[in-house]
Amino acid sequence: MTASATAVAPNPLREGLRLARAPRPTTLVLFGGSGDLARRKLLPALYNLALQRLLPAAFAVVSAARRPMSDEEFRDEVHDAVAQHSRTRPINEDVWSTFAQHLRFVATPDDAGYDRLAGELQRVDAEVGADGNRLFYLATPPAAYAPIIRAIGAHGLRGPGSSRVVVEKPFGHDLRSATELSRIVHEVFREDEVFRIDHYLGKETVQNVLVLRFANGIFEPIWNRQYVDHVQITVAETLGIEERAEYYDAAGAMRDIVQNHLLQLLALVAMEPPAAFDDRAVRDEKVKVLRALRPIGPEEAPAHTARGQYGPGYIEGRAVAGYRSEAGIAPASGTETFVALKCFVDNWRWEGIPFYLRTGKRLPKRSTEIAVRFRVAPHRIFTREAEGVEANELVLRIQPDEGISLTFGAKVPVQGFRIRSVNMDFVYGASFMVDAPDAYETLIVDAMRGDATLFTRRDEVEQQWAFVDPILAAWARGEPPLGTYPAGSWGPDEADALVRRDGRVWRKA
Amino acid sequence: MTAVDEAVWGTAAPSVGALERELARLRHAAGAHAREQGHTVARAAVLNVVVYAERGVHAERAARGIVRLAQRHPSRAIVVWRDRDPGGPPADLDLRCRIPRVDDRAGVCRCEQILVRVRDDDDARLRSVVIPLLVPDLPVFLWWTDSPPPRARRFDDLVALADRLVVDSADFARPAETLAHLARLVGRGDGGRIAITDLNWTRLTPWRELVAQFFDVEAWRPFLDATIGVGVGFGVDMDGRDIHPSQALLLVGWLTSRLGWRPAESLAPAEAGGLLFRMTRADGTPLAVRVRPRFERGVAPGDTTGFRLRCRRRGEVAEFVLKRAPDERHVTATVLLDGRVRSLRVVPLPAPAVEDLMAEELTIAGFDHVYEAALHALLALA
């Protein structure tokens, strides 16, 4: 937590309100305001926060970009973005009009531009009353991160209040570049001022993994190698690469999904109970899991990894092109669009228990879930009657239809004995009939409050890359070879072989 | 005896035991339909809601509300209707039950609705009917749709069963007295005190949030300790007859308790229905608090129409103003320093139905100390 010293007494009216710790007055300094991310996610999230009265009374957005435009043009652009992408529509023009007054634009093509930005920030502080608190938001392509960070330092853009920086993924493309990026960021910001966004962590159901595990007494005692047979984590997408050909072809599924989202989910499932729900304790425990991941080097890669690329096929009855025929992709591209891994967490709790991870594009169904498969009952007294009954499985569905389900065997109500697997299903949306807050809204409020619990710390990122890099190196030498799968299937045969070797199968997610 | 609407209340049962059997039959019937579609059937209930009503319209409104509420909070609902109509219920009591359809999810029974209609002649009877009907181990919410009466057995008996009392001070016939009664109830301090939810307090939440937000700004925070005047407006109907200042009073009580103001005297202002309090700040400086009725089209009587906090610090005058916009769905939040507008924003103001307020409150389990402190502050003002 940032201890930006202040002599001002706490606000006595805050107590008992929805946000016990409200976001402090802030100027959000946005880089990349015309980009896809800002238009689709960030700006609509800010507007929706205004709608819910969750923005501080003193709040402004100053957008900085190379291409010049007027405040008015910027406001029109934001209005378009919000109108198109907001989760609440139509736009509430009454709220919009006062929100828009606090949107500014400064062109920063050169050093003089950054000096103008510094001047504008001071003016906004004085006008709006943002107390010199600044949240720098890097929504640009990663190549621009370093020059922007250095310009923030060189032109004295840090305010007299708190200064924080939000960095979007990717955080580097390997361990070396990630370390280098952190080094540059640290020239200007302390680590506790850096907020690396992995928007998966802002999702309600991802946070619910922590609640399920640590607010309930009944799961933790069986959450270990004594009772768990294995764990499967799936991030399946039906989408192809859409407009992101250039980025995706350089990154691949490993850097796009595994390094961040999948390893985060793994860490949340496998971590030890933190001593407190705060940024330090939670992230300490996650890092310990990542450190305990058994490395997959060139020797292990053929048996512990599978990769694939989609060919032409069908998604929901519609014919779709193969990866190499997508616009902007080289016809001989060797980029993987599917990854399956078999990982082990080498610690007391998980020794010998495999964690199977998989992700892919153009899979038959959009689904993100964590499935914990328990061991079968040690002594089976219902051998004949229980044929076809599967072991207990606890499934945490992240999207869509967020919820939790548990399968167990039950007696079919007839004379004599027949046992069938039934499903006890908790559907998040049905129990709490409210719209869950959008992940970006949650994360922006947290960043303004200075709560980094749901953000990725430097050592987490570095551990993630340290795990992923050797696998990528093995792949670069062709081990194992790149498989192919038709769009609309559950991935290449190699992925099935990976679990079949252990006598297991992938879930039909 | 007068009949009740069977479509709302279901069929009559001669005894509590018979009523439970009828509910089991209804659940099974609902289950048969679900089983055809391959679903298993579950009864979902996370709480008991006991509704107390003295008028048929209140009872029916609450019953409808609970069905809507069941989407978010599945429950067993026991509606106790103390029918004052002399030709009303039979000599002992009228018991009915029904399983209303809550949504289209087959296989989940989310609400069991029970009617307990009694004459108003024998309060001692109530407890003995309600206790066996409660689902064990689930919290009991008592929703009292009337003004909570002081020293009445029916109230004390049901409160003793409940974990939480839900009232709506907007409907109190004599707000000042009843709020004081509530304040004494939460302050009993005999270990048997009860958590109270006031739906009118929930309506104030967005207003409290907006007031608090002004003073999250460091530059404005010091003005809060330099308040010299407060104005609160509340809605009245056109002829100004229905005066329901509870919500406005709670807002005053909240500020008074949070900021440590001490009441000095209560004056009758020139305006009919208005209130004027003289207080002193923690540092001894006097300040005036004015509560005024306002006729504004579309504002429900009793709802807050506006708020103004005037502060003077080192010769500078600051005003923090919230004003309901003419469209009723927005509030303008303005900060003026020496008469000049420093900040102006428009934010939406939700107008939730009573069920939505209930749904919100049912997510909170513990005591609301801030509300209790506000009530106590009002006790000192009265």
Side-chain angles (χ1 to χ4, degrees):
Chain A
M1 226 106 314
T2 334
S4 69
T6 161
V8 179
N11 180 354
L13 303 181
R14 243 317 124 199
E15 196 177 317
L17 289 175
R18 186 160 46 143
L19 284 182
R21 276 176 50 230
R24 304 186 31 201
T26 304
T27 305
L28 192 145
V29 189
L30 174 61
F31 297 93
S34 304
D36 194 50
L37 174 80
R39 289 178 51 79
R40 290 165 61 95
K41 294 288 183 187
L42 181 57
L43 294 165
L46 288 173
Y47 160 77
N48 277 296
L49 287 173
L51 269 188
Q52 299 162 77
R53 304 180 304 275
L54 288 174
L55 286 182
F59 179 80
V61 176
V62 179
S63 175
R66 292 168 163 276
R67 185 168 54 88
M69 65 172 115
S70 67
D71 286 352
E72 276 315 314
E73 285 166 326
F74 176 59
R75 283 167 198 160
D76 289 345
E77 240 188 58
V78 179
H79 191 274
D80 282 354
V82 174
Q84 231 179 317
H85 299 292
S86 168
R87 68 185 171 92
T88 55
R89 273 177 277 181
I91 293 192
N92 179 328
E93 296 292 343
D94 295 302
V95 173
W96 166 260
S97 63
T98 49
F99 174 75
Q101 279 169 18
H102 297 133
L103 299 175
R104 308 289 170 83
F105 184 87
V106 177
T108 50
D110 49 17
D111 280 348
Y114 279 102
D115 287 334
R116 278 198 304 278
L117 178 57
E120 180 67 17
L121 289 178
Q122 278 176 12
R123 254 193 313 284
V124 168
D125 268 349
E127 257 172 60
V128 179
D131 300 338
N133 298 322
R134 287 167 199 173
L135 182 67
F136 299 93
Y137 202 115
L138 306 190
T140 59
Y145 290 171
I148 290 171
I149 297 275
R150 290 194 161 126
I152 291 171
H155 296 268
L157 300 185
R158 290 182 57 115
S162 66
S163 290
R164 302 188 177 112
V165 63
V166 177
V167 188
E168 278 284 345
K169 77 165 198 183
F171 321 118
H173 51 88
D174 56 16
L175 178 57
R176 213 174 56 80
S177 57
T179 314
E180 175 65 8
L181 176 59
S182 285
R183 197 184 59 73
I184 293 168
V185 171
H186 286 177
E187 288 172 12
V188 181
F189 295 96
R190 296 192 311 269
E191 178 59 25
D192 65 272
E193 296 172 327
V194 185
F195 292 74
R196 296 177 190 82
I197 278 206
D198 183 333
H199 72 271
Y200 254 56
L201 291 177
K203 289 181 188 286
E204 286 279 306
T205 29
V206 172
Q207 295 166 48
N208 220 13
V209 175
L210 291 176
V211 175
L212 177 90
R213 287 193 58 200
F214 303 129
N216 292 298
I218 60 167
F219 295 115
E220 212 41 36
I222 55 168
W223 211 261
N224 57 50
R225 62 189 303 279
Q226 305 292 339
Y227 296 93
V228 173
D229 182 73
H230 71 278
V231 177
Q232 292 189 13
I233 307 180
T234 302
V235 176
E237 298 176 281
T238 52
L239 290 179
I241 49 164
E242 312 303 306
E243 314 291 313
R244 302 194 303 155
E246 192 185 341
Y247 159 77
Y248 196 88
D249 203 42
M254 184 66 108
R255 291 188 176 92
D256 188 43
I257 303 283
V258 179
Q259 176 264 332
N260 37 65
H261 304 328
L262 262 177
L263 290 183
Q264 282 290 355
L265 294 178
L266 169 70
L268 292 174
V269 173
M271 71 195 271
E272 295 298 317
F277 186 62
D278 64 33
D279 50 1
R280 177 143 180 212
V282 170
R283 298 193 295 180
D284 281 352
E285 294 304 336
K286 285 198 299 179
V287 171
K288 282 185 210 164
V289 173
L290 295 170
R291 261 191 229 126
L293 270 179
R294 187 184 302 170
I296 299 179
E299 254 117 79
E300 296 83 12
H304 286 70
T305 72
R307 56 183 172 135
Q309 190 185 66
Y310 64 82
Y314 294 89
I315 294 290
E316 291 169 8
R318 188 171 49 87
V320 295
Y323 181 72
R324 292 181 185 180
S325 320
E326 301 268 18
I329 301 296
S333 168
T335 301
E336 81 283 356
T337 61
F338 178 97
V339 177
L341 299 178
K342 173 181 169 185
C343 313
F344 289 95
V345 178
D346 284 337
N347 64 15
W348 194 282
R349 184 190 287 260
W350 295 116
E351 185 56 43
I353 303 302
F355 286 75
Y356 300 103
L357 318 185
R358 64 175 162 166
T359 181
K361 288 204 171 288
R362 290 285 190 228
L363 298 186
K365 201 166 142 184
R366 171 171 169 259
S367 164
T368 300
E369 60 162 44
I370 298 164
V372 180
R373 178 84 159 201
F374 292 93
R375 291 179 190 273
V376 290
H379 174 58
R380 306 189 125 189
I381 59 169
F382 299 116
T383 342
R384 209 158 51 82
E385 299 86 347
E387 223 169 274
V389 171
E390 309 211 331
N392 300 120
E393 194 162 47
L394 183 70
V395 180
L396 315 177
R397 288 189 309 276
I398 310 283
Q399 63 185 18
D401 297 332
E402 293 89 337
I404 294 165
S405 67
L406 177 68
T407 53
F408 56 92
K411 183 180 175 300
V412 181
V414 289
Q415 285 299 331
F417 252 86
R418 270 182 232 153
I419 299 176
R420 204 172 73 184
S421 277
V422 294
N423 217 350
M424 197 159 75
D425 213 353
F426 162 73
V427 184
Y428 206 58
S431 291
F432 305 101
M433 299 280 276
V434 281
D435 292 340
D438 174 79
Y440 268 90
E441 293 166 27
T442 306
L443 293 172
I444 292 167
V445 169
D446 278 1
M448 284 198 284
R449 289 164 49 205
D451 181 347
T453 311
L454 302 176
F455 295 82
T456 314
R457 203 165 62 188
R458 174 188 186 157
D459 48 354
E460 269 179 286
V461 172
E462 293 180 358
Q463 286 300 327
Q464 290 168 345
W465 282 119
F467 175 72
V468 162
D469 275 358
I471 302 174
L472 289 170
W475 288 359
R477 286 193 292 274
E479 286 294 330
L482 179 73
T484 55
Y485 60 99
S489 72
W490 279 110
D493 295 340
E494 289 84 343
D496 291 328
L498 181 99
V499 289
R500 213 181 308 122
R501 280 194 289 274
D502 299 338
R504 299 190 174 101
V505 288
W506 290 107
R507 275 173 49 79
K508 308 260 176 296
Chain B
M1 99 181 236
T2 45
V4 296
D5 186 351
E6 292 215 350
V8 179
W9 298 114
T11 46
S15 68
V16 169
L19 183 121
E20 289 285 7
R21 281 192 297 279
E22 172 64 8
L23 277 173
R25 192 191 66 75
L26 289 171
R27 276 199 302 270
H28 188 79
H33 178 64
R35 277 193 296 276
E36 273 170 26
Q37 299 174 338
H39 295 287
T40 44
V41 188
R43 176 174 96 173
V46 299
L47 44 100
N48 293 291
V49 184
V50 178
V51 177
Y52 175 88
E54 297 198 350
R55 281 194 277 165
V57 283
H58 285 172
E60 285 188 24
R61 199 167 63 191
R64 276 195 307 272
I66 283 169
V67 175
R68 278 191 53 194
L69 204 60
Q71 294 190 348
R72 273 176 74 181
H73 303 279
S75 66
R76 168 169 279 200
I78 303 161
V79 180
V80 177
W81 174 7
R82 188 164 170 272
D83 197 341
R84 293 179 137 159
D85 183 353
D92 42 6
L93 76 166
D94 184 14
L95 285 175
R96 288 165 187 275
C97 65
R98 180 180 158 236
I99 294 187
R101 191 180 173 81
V102 171
D103 57 18
D104 289 333
R105 263 172 73 83
V108 186
C109 160
R110 289 165 177 276
C111 184
E112 297 169 307
Q113 175 194 294
I114 297 166
L115 172 69
V116 178
R117 192 165 61 125
V118 293
R119 283 174 182 270
D120 69 344
D121 57 351
D122 190 3
D123 283 353
R125 189 199 305 277
L126 286 182
R127 223 167 77 92
S128 73
V129 187
V130 173
I131 290 178
L133 287 172
L134 296 171
V135 180
D137 299 323
L138 290 182
V140 179
F141 286 74
L142 172 61
W143 182 2
W144 199 271
T145 63
D146 230 64
S147 290
R151 288 178 305 281
R153 169 137 193 205
R154 57 184 185 278
F155 181 71
D156 295 347
D157 273 1
L158 291 181
V159 162
L161 296 178
D163 297 286
R164 194 174 192 96
L165 169 66
V166 182
V167 295
D168 188 346
S169 64
D171 297 336
F172 290 175
R174 300 192 308 162
E177 289 84 344
T178 312
L179 286 172
H181 172 45
L182 283 183
R184 281 187 291 271
L185 203 63
V186 298
R188 279 207 310 228
D190 55 359
R193 73 191 199 118
I194 185 166
I196 295 192
T197 286
D198 182 348
L199 299 179
N200 215 18
W201 175 250
T202 317
R203 287 186 196 98
L204 265 183
T205 305
W207 293 88
R208 290 196 296 131
E209 269 174 359
L210 290 168
V211 176
Q213 276 180 354
F214 286 134
F215 303 101
D216 289 329
V217 181
E218 281 172 25
W220 302 336
R221 168 66 187 85
F223 283 109
L224 190 56
D225 303 322
T227 306
I228 52 172
V230 178
V232 180
F234 65 95
V236 284
D237 59 3
M238 205 168 344
D239 21 336
R241 267 187 317 216
D242 262 354
I243 306 287
H244 292 287
S246 304
Q247 206 182 96
L249 283 173
L250 287 171
L251 191 56
V252 170
W254 172 63
L255 281 174
T256 310
S257 61
R258 297 309 311 156
L259 300 175
W261 296 342
R262 282 184 302 274
E265 59 179 329
S266 169
L267 305 167
E271 251 167 319
L275 298 159
L276 174 64
F277 304 102
R278 298 219 174 275
M279 302 197 199
T280 53
R281 295 196 315 235
D283 63 6
T285 316
L287 76 137
V289 177
R290 212 177 286 275
V291 176
R292 290 174 151 159
R294 285 267 178 274
F295 170 69
E296 280 177 29
R297 205 169 294 281
V299 177
D303 274 352
T304 307
T305 58
F307 170 87
R308 177 184 297 263
L309 198 73
R310 264 175 76 81
C311 313
R312 189 186 294 123
R313 185 172 174 269
R314 295 180 188 157
E316 194 177 17
V317 173
E319 285 176 285
F320 301 90
V321 185
L322 300 175
K323 184 91 195 76
R324 211 183 255 266
D327 71 355
E328 295 316 318
R329 286 173 296 117
H330 295 90
V331 169
T332 320
T334 317
V335 179
L336 298 117
L337 294 183
D338 283 332
R340 208 170 60 84
V341 174
R342 281 300 311 272
S343 161
L344 171 77
R345 54 187 190 129
V346 174
V347 293
L349 183 71
V354 167
E355 302 90 73
D356 301 326
L357 295 172
M358 270 293 272
E360 182 72 33
E361 286 303 311
L362 293 182
T363 61
I364 304 167
F367 295 93
D368 186 343
H369 300 290
V370 178
Y371 172 69
E372 293 177 4
L375 273 184
H376 279 286
L378 284 183
L379 203 55
L381 283 180

